[in-house]
Amino acid sequence: MTDVMPSASTGATDTRPHLASPDENPSFTKGLFLGEIREEMVFPFPRLTGDERESLAAVLDAFRAFAADNIDTRKHDHDGRFPEAMREGFHALGLMGLNIPEEYGGFGASAKVFNRVFGEVGATDPALAVYFGAHQSIGCKGITLFGTEQQKQRYLPRCATGEMVAAFCLTEAGSGSDAQAMKTMAEPSADGSHYVLNGTKIWISNAGYAGVFTVFAKVPVDEGGKKKERVTAFIVEAASPGVSLGQIEEKMGIKASDTRTVSFTQVQVPAENRLGEVGHGFKIALEILNSGRLGLAAGSACGTREIMNEAIKYARQREQFGRPIASFEMIRRKIAIAAAECYAADAAWMLTAGMVDRGGVDFSLETAACKVLASEMAYRASNEGLQIAGGMGYSKEFPFEQSVRDSRIMLIFEGTNEILRALVALMGLQQPGERLKALGKALQDPIHGFGAISSYLAGRAKSTLNKPSFTLVHEALEDEAELVASQVYELGRGVEWALRKHGKAIIERQYVQERLANAAMDLFFSTATLSRATAEIEQANGDLAAVAGEVDCARVFIHMAYRRTRRALRGLKSNQDGRLNSIAERAVERGDLAPISPADR
């Protein structure tokens, strides 16, 4: 699983393209930037249907039984590869077609079921989760979503069985987050029968196993007498003449994942293997990558639980000063914070998966938020687990050091967390920015623009006088709901202030973007937590004692997120951004990090 781009996603069973439809469908997180709480989008909390629950249980039972006898993550890490017998057995479970529609030989799982299974695979062996996700979440996802019927019939049945493993080829040496900078070209033949593909893609997961690639390349087109290059997607078979692979990358973690460079030299790609229309490649890539992000979030949540359970086991039996270290408050705090964060992460990815399955919703920012916060949680948990184990945690005898190495990539996969923060902020700012732009035009001609002015003033008066509030949260969580609502209001005010202060220049103000994105993501996670906890309290018929663990986790997380959000929004006006820039500029200019040590003068 590679590549870094912002995106919008699709459901596992609905094959219509652009299910998120950012330009048409409502978005909960985008509403936060307007100071709105679109409660109907996040309540009630989604639940598995009876059929989904039964299917999920059967899949998880089969996988766990298989894993117990066949998956040795420590050996996979040591050897840097998967045994062929293990891969074949994994394929035989039918998991390679889990989210491929049934009519093409797959399981047709919902997003809720698929991502829960993804999490289980990730908690068992992160490298295997990469193999699993690179194949389904992004490798053949484009064919499922955008392929013609002929393309689907030709490739998906073989992908579903694992006979043909898929990979996704987007990133290049000079083109990561900036996908428009790609150099790979696909020149149409004179007779229009094929394209000639030339270029090199890097960091391609599953490259050594793949039988088919989804490849993105620029196609030259004539638009109004001017030559343009438009990003287009292609289905390229690995056995095609001119396709070659580099050596396996030696990586820090997920070592058994086969990651390589893939080169295309004068590769003839049949015209019928073009995926979608010429120039639609960028949108297709955006759509595909969101699938991977939600899977990474679920995998991070399950991985956090797994590694912290190992830490708890160690802390219960390791004694110091005559008692288990699990009794010490600094150790307990590590466990409790990880538990609260895991609770919120599970709530967020499940809520988002429910949006995916429901359709008619723009969930592009929610999947980005899930990936960012869950991946950072998993990396912290791995480090905290190692810390709890002390010196033993640094030893390969225990799973902690491998967990630290394996979890680190999650902050880079499917869009670096820095890029995704910029994505959340800039996409969230679009609608508020358009409102202010419309107001500016109206003020230039106040008579004809009176409608826009009065509409804006009415909206501003509403946001000023009527702060948003939750009406569907259980009364036991009223205090927490008020904390979240207060910061939604402050985010709306902060967005307006930032847009007025920076205008178009906000595109370059990444400190501002980061603060707004962090606030919005924490508010989404907090809302997901409120929705989940409310559902659990109601299911317990209001018996708080029966769900004390759930309520405690919810309250701890929301209070932590509240403090972070308040700090981020206050930082819009009171900060040391100028000094940070000065320090960094000096370091970059001199090639030396900081003023020289007194001992070296």
Side-chain angles (χ1 to χ4, degrees):
M1 298 167 72
T2 63
D3 301 293
V4 287
M5 290 175 57
S7 75
S9 180
T10 68
T13 58
D14 191 334
T15 59
R16 293 170 298 166
H18 305 302
L19 284 180
S21 299
D23 297 330
E24 303 170 12
N25 292 331
S27 161
F28 177 82
T29 299
K30 288 181 182 178
L32 296 176
F33 282 81
L34 296 167
E36 299 175 2
I37 299 173
R38 297 172 176 173
E39 232 179 337
E40 73 285 353
M41 298 184 68
V42 291
F43 286 85
F45 193 75
R47 293 195 177 279
L48 295 174
T49 65
D51 288 344
E52 286 176 326
R53 192 171 298 282
E54 184 178 336
S55 298
L56 177 59
V59 172
L60 291 179
D61 285 347
F63 173 71
R64 288 166 179 160
F66 171 80
D69 295 331
N70 297 278
I71 297 178
D72 185 341
T73 185
R74 189 176 301 179
K75 179 174 173 56
H76 297 169
D77 178 68
H78 178 271
D79 295 347
R81 62 182 177 83
F82 300 123
E84 281 303 303
M86 190 281 294
R87 280 205 314 130
E88 291 172 3
F90 185 75
H91 294 178
L93 292 175
L95 294 180
M96 296 295 272
L98 189 61
N99 71 353
I100 292 175
E102 291 182 78
E103 57 265 39
Y104 304 109
F107 188 83
S110 67
K112 294 188 291 294
V113 170
F114 175 79
N115 286 291
R116 176 61 187 89
V117 174
F118 193 114
E120 189 73 19
V121 176
T124 304
D125 188 335
L128 184 60
V130 173
Y131 176 76
F132 173 69
H135 168 72
Q136 278 185 96
S137 291
I138 58 177
C140 60
K141 177 63 82 172
I143 302 174
T144 301
L145 299 175
F146 301 97
T148 64
E149 185 60 26
Q150 181 184 20
Q151 290 169 342
K152 292 176 183 179
Q153 292 287 355
R154 182 173 182 181
Y155 294 106
L156 292 182
R158 286 184 287 169
C159 286
T161 62
E163 174 190 345
M164 177 174 274
V165 176
F168 184 82
C169 297
L170 178 64
T171 299
E172 300 181 8
S175 168
S177 300
D178 183 10
Q180 293 284 14
M182 71 174 61
K183 301 297 184 183
T184 299
M185 293 292 296
E187 299 272 355
S189 63
D191 63 2
S193 65
H194 63 273
Y195 292 83
V196 179
L197 181 66
N198 285 282
T200 299
K201 302 291 184 176
I202 64 171
W203 301 114
I204 306 305
S205 297
N206 284 358
Y209 299 124
V212 64
F213 299 103
T214 298
V215 182
F216 295 86
K218 286 185 174 179
V219 173
V221 297
D222 190 300
E223 295 181 359
K226 294 183 178 180
K227 187 177 181 180
K228 303 284 186 178
E229 295 175 346
R230 300 302 184 197
V231 177
T232 305
F234 296 90
I235 302 169
V236 181
E237 296 188 16
S240 302
V243 177
S244 60
L245 305 179
Q247 296 296 312
I248 295 178
E249 297 287 348
E250 296 291 336
K251 304 185 296 295
M252 171 182 171
I254 55 167
K255 293 184 177 182
S257 168
D258 189 299
T259 310
R260 310 184 191 216
T261 294
V262 182
S263 297
F264 305 94
T265 306
Q266 295 295 107
V267 178
Q268 293 192 13
V269 182
E272 58 266 26
N273 274 28
R274 190 185 69 219
L275 190 59
E277 299 300 319
V278 171
H280 288 191
F282 192 68
K283 291 182 179 179
I284 290 174
L286 297 182
E287 191 83 14
I288 292 170
L289 283 173
N290 237 24
S291 300
R293 293 195 184 121
L294 199 52
L296 290 178
S300 294
C302 286
T304 292
R305 183 185 300 273
E306 182 72 16
I307 198 63
M308 287 306 294
N309 282 349
E310 290 292 329
I312 291 169
K313 184 193 307 181
Y314 182 87
R316 289 172 64 180
Q317 60 84 27
R318 170 67 167 168
E319 292 194 355
Q320 290 287 280
F321 307 106
R323 56 180 172 144
I325 64 171
S327 66
F328 297 133
E329 288 186 343
M330 282 191 279
I331 301 299
R332 287 184 173 182
R333 181 173 56 193
K334 295 179 189 297
I335 294 169
I337 289 176
E341 290 183 334
C342 188
Y343 180 88
D346 276 335
W349 78 252
M350 185 71 169
L351 182 64
T352 305
M355 293 179 182
V356 174
D357 290 332
R358 187 165 76 240
V361 175
D362 171 14
F363 42 80
S364 53
L365 300 194
E366 285 75 15
T367 57
C370 285
K371 186 270 182 180
V372 170
L373 295 190
S375 65
E376 292 175 355
M377 171 193 70
Y379 187 53
R380 281 195 302 273
S382 294
N383 281 278
E384 293 288 37
L386 190 153
Q387 188 71 17
I388 289 171
M392 297 303 294
Y394 207 67
S395 167
K396 287 185 178 293
E397 180 183 349
F398 287 82
F400 303 104
E401 64 84 27
Q402 183 182 340
S403 181
V404 170
R405 290 186 289 106
D406 284 344
S407 63
R408 184 60 184 84
I409 189 61
M410 300 306 173
L411 283 69
I412 299 171
F413 266 159
E414 313 304 352
T416 67
N417 286 3
E418 291 77 14
I419 280 293
L420 291 183
R421 281 185 164 90
L423 162 75
V424 169
L426 294 176
M427 288 186 69
L429 287 168
Q430 286 177 2
Q431 192 173 352
E434 288 168 1
R435 287 187 179 183
L436 289 177
K437 183 179 179 181
L439 175 65
K441 288 183 178 180
L443 289 173
Q444 294 174 11
D445 186 1
I447 295 177
H448 292 94
F450 180 76
I453 296 172
S454 60
S455 174
Y456 171 80
L457 291 176
R460 175 151 177 76
K462 182 179 179 181
S463 67
T464 302
L465 299 176
N466 300 316
K467 295 181 181 180
S469 62
F470 287 94
T471 63
L472 300 177
V473 174
H474 192 276
E475 61 183 12
L477 297 168
E478 282 182 356
D479 290 345
E480 285 70 31
E482 174 56 30
L483 290 179
V484 178
S486 71
Q487 293 309 297
V488 172
Y489 173 71
E490 293 299 334
L491 174 59
R493 293 181 61 193
V495 164
E496 183 176 309
W497 179 88
L499 286 170
R500 289 185 175 279
K501 177 176 176 60
H502 300 292
K504 292 181 180 179
I506 202 166
I507 294 174
E508 300 297 330
R509 299 290 188 268
Q510 290 192 352
Y511 294 137
V512 175
Q513 294 170 25
E514 183 179 40
R515 292 185 181 104
L516 294 175
N518 284 343
M521 292 189 299
D522 259 332
L523 288 171
F524 169 63
F525 265 54
S526 295
T527 302
T529 299
L530 286 172
S531 181
R532 175 185 176 180
T534 292
E536 289 166 341
I537 293 171
E538 290 173 349
Q539 190 173 18
N541 296 316
D543 183 358
L544 296 183
V547 288
E550 289 84 345
V551 173
D552 282 346
C553 282
R555 286 175 171 158
V556 166
F557 178 83
I558 289 170
H559 281 265
M560 289 193 303
Y562 167 76
R563 291 190 292 272
R564 290 194 297 263
T565 302
R566 185 176 59 176
R567 185 166 57 249
L569 295 177
R570 288 179 174 177
L572 291 173
K573 297 181 180 179
S574 178
N575 55 63
Q576 297 205 56
D577 294 352
R579 291 190 181 92
L580 292 175
N581 278 335
S582 295
I583 291 171
E585 286 169 4
R586 292 188 195 103
V588 172
E589 181 180 340
R590 299 172 182 174
D592 191 13
L593 177 64
I596 194 168
S597 166
D600 295 334
R601 290 176 181 169

